[in-house]
Amino acid sequence: MSGRIMTLARLLRERKISCRELIDRYICRIERLNPLLNAYVFTAAKQSYKQAERAQKMIDGGFGDILCGIPVAAKDNICTEGVPTTCCSKILQGHIPLYSAYAVRRLEERGAILLGKTNMDEFAMGSSSETSCYGAPSNPVNLSKSAGGSSGGSAVAVAADIAAVALGSDTGGSVRQPAAFCGVTGFRPTYGTVSRSGLIAYASSLDQIGPIAASAEDAAIIYDAIRGRDCLDMTSVESPSAPSLVETDIKKLTVGVPREFFSDMVSDEVKSAIGAAICLIERAGARIKEVSFPHLSAALSAYYVISCAEASSNLGRYDGVRYGRRIEGADVEEMMVKTRSAYFGREVKRRIMLGTFVLSGGYKSRYFARACAVRESICSAFEQIFGECDAIITPTAPTAAFDKGGNPSSAEAYSADICTVPASLAGLPAVSVPCGLTEGGLPIGMQIICGRMKDSLALSLARFYERAADVRVKLCGEVLSEL
Ligand code: GLN
């Protein structure tokens, strides 16, 4: 069994298909499926064909590698030169960046072809992609279900194969949770290993670009291409290569299972799917160890305090002057108030207000400083666990995909991020892999978290599991009949 990237690369190299034909095929699928799925908010056909021509020359010249000619999509908060990048927000309508993000450049240098930009929650704030100003994407497994978020469009595009692979961004789970909901693999790398240059900021100390792919093998190939130190992001760091370490001896591993991640919040179907996956890993020879992670509920509060605080500062730049749209006013202040009031959505405004509040005089030590202290304790708790375990297994989300348009309260929506925020706060690598289906056929995601810089180990374990379990996710009839 080989991954989607490897399969396409072989077809291209053996001249069974040309780059142009491959792009034709993908664009044709997008035209048929996107009206149903709303995964893409912009396509870049003209540019894709130009890139295909270049990729073909690279292949013909004998120096095209595995990513040459591979069609990729990028979340709409990742800057792409000449292609709109709007964070699915009204405030950035018409914004066309003058440069591409480091991760996009790295892929394009290798000959990958950008198909377009994918749908997301406005400024990556959310878990259902429903705060997008273009309307939510639909889950290709069941159109009435949420695709997850905030990188919902990227997960949908990969699941429906209207992109071979996609980039997402993960602040508190936005790569892993939509991947889990749509039945694909989502990887959040160690913080800093992929440059944030060109990623539009939500919460800078948490934001991380990561791949959403059809398999852990594909995710590893993309991660390996986009990682690396970049002088435009002072927090970026060099990391070990992923594919070179992808063979791991499962018998040497100790896998921790933190009991707090299996509370009453987690549905029975999720619990039993993860339980079965743990049994499979144990039968393969790994040692399973029950561990404790006492800070779980505090992690959620700390995440929302810190992310909103950083967001309130980061989003100050949308002032009607430097980027995007403007509504005129009698003076500068009125112009700013009118612009921000009209063009930011409700959730974004809520978070800016929350963030401003927790940073304000008198409250800073009560909220922000305490959240930072909780973050420290979370890092130590992980350190302690990784003293005795190589990896941790948890659910990616407490349930499979929820209904679209369910309109949960903020507290309900925020608490569904409980399983993904701890790794984000500690900056650790974490991957979500499909590990079973609910009775209704909805995918369930398992999260594998590893220690800092152990990205390859997380991906190797994910790859081992994917191969051993061979979970098959079925797309819904409406999607299949369009093909
Ligand atoms: N759902 C989380 C939030 O709304 C995570 C979002 C993200 O990772 N971008 O903050």
Side-chain angles (χ1 to χ4, degrees), residues 210-231:
I212 296 185
S215 64
E217 181 182 316
D218 286 358
I221 294 170
I222 297 297
Y223 170 62
D224 206 40
I226 62 176
R227 73 189 172 84
R229 167 109 178 91
D230 168 23
C231 60

Side-chain angles (χ1 to χ4, degrees), residues 75 123-127 149-150 169-175 202 207 303-304 307 347 351 413-414 417 421 424:
K75 186 175 177 179
F123 283 102
M125 297 173 185
S127 312
S150 63
S169 71
D170 189 309
T171 305
S174 281
V175 157
Y202 159 17
D207 293 343
Y303 168 78
Y304 274 97
S307 64
E347 184 60 26
R351 294 193 190 202
Y414 296 173
D417 294 330
V421 297
S424 293

Side-chain angles (χ1 to χ4, degrees), residues 111-126:
I113 295 165
L114 180 75
L115 289 169
K117 307 303 291 288
T118 55
N119 209 345
M120 57 182 277
D121 281 298
E122 185 180 5
F123 283 102
M125 297 173 185

Side-chain angles (χ1 to χ4, degrees), residues 38 40-42 76 84-90 92-94 118-120 129-137:
N38 201 18
Y40 283 94
V41 293
F42 301 105
D76 195 36
T85 302
T86 69
C87 285
C88 291
S89 176
K90 283 189 190 152
L92 275 174
Q93 293 303 297
T118 55
N119 209 345
M120 57 182 277
S129 304
E130 284 172 351
T131 65
S132 162
C133 71
Y134 309 107

Side-chain angles (χ1 to χ4, degrees), residues 69-289:
I70 301 298
V72 304
K75 186 175 177 179
D76 195 36
N77 60 350
I78 298 176
C79 287
T80 44
E81 186 184 336
V83 181
T85 302
T86 69
C87 285
C88 291
S89 176
K90 283 189 190 152
I91 211 158
L92 275 174
Q93 293 303 297
H95 177 60
I96 301 181
L98 296 171
Y99 63 92
S100 287
Y102 177 85
V104 171
R105 282 206 320 272
R106 292 294 298 263
L107 292 178
E108 288 180 344
E109 275 160 23
R110 303 268 298 269
I113 295 165
L114 180 75
L115 289 169
K117 307 303 291 288
T118 55
N119 209 345
M120 57 182 277
D121 281 298
E122 185 180 5
F123 283 102
M125 297 173 185
S127 312
S128 63
S129 304
E130 284 172 351
T131 65
S132 162
C133 71
Y134 309 107
S138 297
N139 192 318
V141 178
N142 179 335
L143 299 180
S144 68
K145 298 289 174 183
S146 168
S150 63
S151 313
S154 287
V156 173
V158 173
D161 198 8
I162 49 179
V165 63
L167 294 180
S169 71
D170 189 309
T171 305
S174 281
V175 157
R176 293 162 281 163
Q177 182 257 25
F181 279 16
C182 295
V184 290
T185 301
F187 177 52
R188 174 194 168 91
T190 296
Y191 179 79
T193 56
V194 179
S195 166
R196 283 180 295 111
S197 152
L199 169 66
I200 298 180
Y202 159 17
S204 314
S205 77
L206 297 153
D207 293 343
Q208 183 65 74
I209 290 181
I212 296 185
S215 64
E217 181 182 316
D218 286 358
I221 294 170
I222 297 297
Y223 170 62
D224 206 40
I226 62 176
R227 73 189 172 84
R229 167 109 178 91
D230 168 23
C231 60
L232 294 176
D233 173 4
M234 296 316 280
T235 59
S236 70
V237 284
E238 204 45 73
S239 62
S241 167
S244 63
L245 295 168
V246 157
E247 283 316 327
T248 289
D249 186 357
I250 195 90
K251 293 193 177 66
K252 292 201 180 121
L253 298 183
T254 301
V255 175
V257 181
R259 60 184 89 88
E260 293 80 359
F261 281 78
F262 295 82
S263 69
D264 289 346
M265 256 193 84
V266 178
S267 78
D268 289 342
E269 285 187 304
V270 170
K271 277 184 196 156
S272 73
I274 308 281
I278 292 170
C279 285
L280 186 154
I281 291 169
E282 187 170 30
R283 276 201 309 276
R287 201 165 80 88
I288 305 293
K289 190 174 163 61

